[in-house]
Amino acid sequence: MNALWRIVKFLLPLVVSLILMLAIWYAFLNAFPQVGPRVGKSPGDVWNYLVTGPGSDTARQAILSDLRITLRDAAVGFGGGMAAALAVAALFVTLPAVEQSLMPVAMLLRSVPLVALTPIIVLVFGRGVLGVTALAGIVVFFPALVMIITGLRSASRQAMELVAVYGGSRWTRLRMVAVPAALPSVFAAARVSVPGALIGALLGEWLGSGTGLGAGLIRAIPTFQYNKLWASIVLVTIVSVLLYAIVGVLENLVLARFGPAA
């Protein structure tokens, strides 16, 4: 019951946010009539384009095909970025000298705009899947690294000392005390990183591979395919919220069983 209540409390604001987004969408179109129905599409227009319109089957298949490519790129980037963040955070917490040497470099790289990094990433990794997923992984890595380090350092000092007294090594203390204490931070990093991975994949597809939904969004503008543009944006937003919700539900289930308050 505790886990169910946590999930309901987590999902309720997301539902409210989706309703507010619809309201803001309608309000925007009404507040700026100069946008016009040719450019500004309503939720009804998007629904007709994807579901009920005469060419909806073809349009839906094209967008979903691009979306599958984007989700693949984002998933690989998310997995690689989170794994790298976990490994580097564990290394930094266990070996402070390594953190003092490398953390300034990581923060310096984080301050570089992604658009400026993209040409270098494409040059190094190429325009294929590897380049796009590398960009998505970079978007995930830096915020996750900071949050996971904070979580690992929140472990009880008394518990760490107790493991040390019984002969536990640094890595044993990390595994038995710090990692369980950091679970809320790890899941928080995952929730933040899911939309970030999608953004990184879209950016990499736009400036790098030329495939997926990121490239489709850019191609829709000069060809005046505004129905496709709005439908793609709506679909990416819905998928991002759904993935965020899935991670949040998993977080509440795991923390209800293994978290500090369990």
Side-chain angles (χ1 to χ4, degrees):
M1 183 61 69
N2 182 39
L4 181 60
W5 175 240
R6 289 169 63 111
I7 291 171
V8 171
K9 287 204 307 183
F10 171 76
L11 292 179
L12 185 60
L14 289 181
V15 175
V16 174
S17 298
L18 287 174
I19 296 173
L20 286 175
M21 287 172 63
L22 280 175
I24 292 170
W25 187 351
Y26 277 114
F28 172 79
L29 294 177
N30 291 326
F32 298 95
Q34 64 270 25
V35 174
R38 177 175 175 80
V39 176
K41 303 300 179 181
S42 68
D45 295 327
V46 172
W47 180 264
N48 182 65
Y49 178 75
L50 288 177
V51 181
T52 60
S56 59
D57 288 341
T58 303
R60 188 170 60 250
Q61 288 174 8
I63 291 181
L64 290 178
S65 177
D66 287 340
L67 180 63
R68 280 193 290 270
I69 297 173
T70 301
L71 288 177
R72 177 203 64 193
D73 296 338
V76 177
F78 173 80
M82 281 297 296
L86 284 166
V88 174
L91 184 66
F92 281 2
V93 170
T94 308
L95 302 174
V98 177
E99 180 186 8
Q100 293 171 5
S101 302
L102 297 182
M103 182 60 90
V105 178
M107 292 300 99
L108 181 63
L109 290 174
R110 180 67 184 90
S111 65
V112 178
L114 285 174
V115 177
L117 274 178
T118 302
I120 300 174
I121 294 171
V122 170
L123 183 64
V124 174
F125 296 101
R127 291 182 173 272
V129 177
L130 188 59
V132 177
T133 54
L135 188 61
I138 288 173
V139 175
V140 170
F141 173 78
F142 291 106
L145 175 64
V146 174
M147 297 176 74
I148 293 171
I149 287 177
T150 302
L152 291 174
R153 285 184 173 150
S154 67
S156 168
R157 183 176 297 275
Q158 290 81 5
M160 297 283 279
E161 291 174 351
L162 178 63
V163 176
V165 167
Y166 279 94
S169 65
R170 293 179 178 179
W171 300 106
T172 303
R173 297 197 297 271
L174 180 74
R175 176 173 56 85
M176 297 184 65
V177 180
V179 170
L183 280 177
S185 297
V186 172
F187 276 108
R191 277 191 285 111
V192 171
S193 298
V194 164
L198 276 173
I199 293 172
L202 290 170
L203 183 61
E205 290 166 352
W206 167 35
L207 297 175
S209 68
T211 61
L213 212 56
L217 285 168
I218 300 304
R219 285 196 296 266
I221 297 174
T223 55
F224 305 103
Q225 299 181 61
Y226 295 113
N227 278 317
K228 181 179 180 180
L229 178 67
W230 283 82
S232 300
I233 293 172
V234 169
L235 202 58
V236 167
T237 303
I238 292 174
V239 169
S240 180
V241 171
L242 284 176
L243 292 175
Y244 181 92
I246 290 171
V247 175
V249 169
L250 290 175
E251 173 187 8
N252 282 283
L253 289 174
V254 172
L255 294 184
R257 177 66 180 85
F258 300 105

